[in-house]
Amino acid sequence: MKTVLISGAGIAGPTLAFWLRAAGLQPTLVERAPELRSGGYVIDFWGLGYDIAERMGLIREINRAGYHVQELRIVDDRGQRVTGFGTKVFSELTGDRYVTLRRSDLSRLLFEKIRGTTEVIFDSEIVNLEQQPDGAQVRLKHAGERRFDLVIGADGLHSGVRGLAFGPQHQFEKHLGYVVAAFEVHGYRPRDEDVYLMYGRPGRMLGRFTLHDDRMLFLFVFAAKGGSLPSTLDLQKAMLRKTYREGKWECPQVLQRLEETDELYFDRVSQIRMESWSRGRVALAGDAAFCVSLLAGQGSALAMISAYVLAGELASADGRHEEAFSNYEARLRNYIHGKQQGAERFASAFAPRTAAGLWFRNQVIRAFAIPGLARLVAGRDIVDTLQLPDYRWPLLQELPSGARALA
């Protein structure tokens, strides 16, 4: 079997490992963190990613872990509803195949599908990568030197594999002008089940979403110029306090609860734009290749799509990796480019930079109540136009039983 080293145990990595095993290849997964990551933020999950999860036998678990949001509600300084819309239109557009869930929960469910069938190395990463005519020699932090036929970077926006094989991140990163932060707490009140609440001031948004097990998720999105961000937890919290200290609604209460957490997601809102997703025996998948930005709402599904297509093309090319990588990119590049353009348009809707921009955003949302308008506006970005290829998976029957019935 052809050996493939995958960097990253988030979304794309475990998905790729599953389908490579189904294709008869031998994946190894390496993850920098000492264990699967928890916390983070929630994602909306639909479209072809949902279809791939179904083929993996995961839909029952995803719906059990997820949420069926009924309303997005924008509130004012006193918490009164300013505008909003019901999410029924999204369910209609996707045939009720639409769910919201924590990204970390999706990652965990995907990882369970490869547990026991794939070698996994936690608390390690690729620190050196040397391509040779017949393989790739890598040095792993804490795990010595290994040789593989192929190396795949599925390690996100700040991909280490991309840095080693293609060059520094600044060559490919496009800042969208915002910073995002998220954290969870236990026992927060009030709770609004199945409602996503947003409070905005010019250039700042605070979102609140009720989770299972008496937990609450908070999401901050705020405008920020380019440049480096604080790298320590204390400085990141200080930046949030400074940015939101004049906020009303529940801002004081949320900032108070911020002091409790030691798990804060904090990053720039960026896209990755590359002329090619492969170089020699190295290829990239998911955010490492084409991050559409966290605010796009479909990054996890796109990561799964890219992993599925990459594995399928490697299986179809019968060991000719150059051909597989070329076909993988040809199938997806135009589709991904359209998603990136849509995400760029959408990003500013979270935190318009001016009072006039906030007013206009709210009028647009209010107009969603007009029959048919929400379907017309949202349909372009919700309905996938790409046809998911059907590949031959010779070893799928040997994988966990959940996948067999739905293959």
Side-chain angles (χ1 to χ4, degrees), residues 363-384:
Q363 302 314 304
V364 172
I365 291 177
R366 186 170 287 116
F368 271 35
I370 300 173
L373 184 61
R375 177 183 295 271
L376 178 65
V377 173
R380 176 178 58 177
D381 293 323
I382 291 292
V383 178
D384 276 321

Side-chain angles (χ1 to χ4, degrees), residues 258-302:
L258 173 66
E259 300 309 312
E260 302 174 12
T261 188
D262 56 5
E263 290 189 23
L264 176 67
Y265 177 88
F266 193 96
D267 208 348
R268 292 185 296 268
V269 177
S270 298
Q271 293 185 341
I272 294 296
R273 304 285 186 98
M274 303 186 69
E275 293 183 0
S276 176
W277 301 339
S278 66
R279 178 169 291 176
R281 293 179 173 271
V282 178
L284 304 174
D287 282 354
F290 52 73
C291 180
V292 295
S293 91
L294 178 146
L295 300 182
Q298 206 174 0
S300 293
L302 296 178

Side-chain angles (χ1 to χ4, degrees), residues 11 42 56 64 85 129 143 160 190 198 255-256 265 279 287-289 293 300 303 319 333 342 367 401:
I11 303 297
V42 294
M56 295 174 72
R64 185 180 298 124
F85 59 87
L129 169 61
M198 291 174 54
L255 291 177
Q256 185 176 9
Y265 177 88
R279 178 169 291 176
D287 282 354
S293 91
S300 293
R333 179 165 285 278
S401 60

Side-chain angles (χ1 to χ4, degrees), residues 175 177-179 223-229 268:
H175 301 289
Y178 293 90
V179 171
K225 296 180 181 179
S228 61
L229 292 177
R268 292 185 296 268

Side-chain angles (χ1 to χ4, degrees), residues 76-110:
D76 61 16
D77 289 350
R78 297 175 298 168
Q80 299 299 307
R81 187 181 190 275
V82 174
T83 186
F85 59 87
T87 60
K88 183 179 179 181
V89 63
F90 299 124
S91 296
E92 292 174 351
L93 286 167
T94 60
D96 287 325
R97 298 163 66 81
Y98 184 100
V99 63
T100 298
L101 76 161
R102 297 162 81 219
R103 186 183 183 280
S104 56
D105 284 340
L106 178 59
S107 175
R108 174 180 53 81
L109 292 172
L110 290 168

Side-chain angles (χ1 to χ4, degrees), residues 13-15 17-18 29 109-118 120 400:
T15 306
F18 177 92
L29 193 66
L109 292 172
L110 290 168
F111 186 82
E112 288 300 321
K113 281 295 180 182
I114 64 168
R115 187 185 295 276
T117 66
T118 298
V120 181

Side-chain angles (χ1 to χ4, degrees), residues 6 11-25 27 29 52-58 109-115 117-118 307-308 311 393 395-404 407:
I6 306 166
I11 303 297
T15 306
L16 179 60
F18 177 92
W19 291 108
L20 287 177
R21 288 287 298 157
L25 284 80
L29 193 66
I52 292 169
E54 185 172 45
R55 297 184 186 194
M56 295 174 72
L58 282 173
L109 292 172
L110 290 168
F111 186 82
E112 288 300 321
K113 281 295 180 182
I114 64 168
R115 187 185 295 276
T117 66
T118 298
Y308 174 88
W393 306 107
L395 297 188
L396 187 62
Q397 296 299 316
E398 299 180 14
L399 295 179
S401 60
R404 296 204 287 264

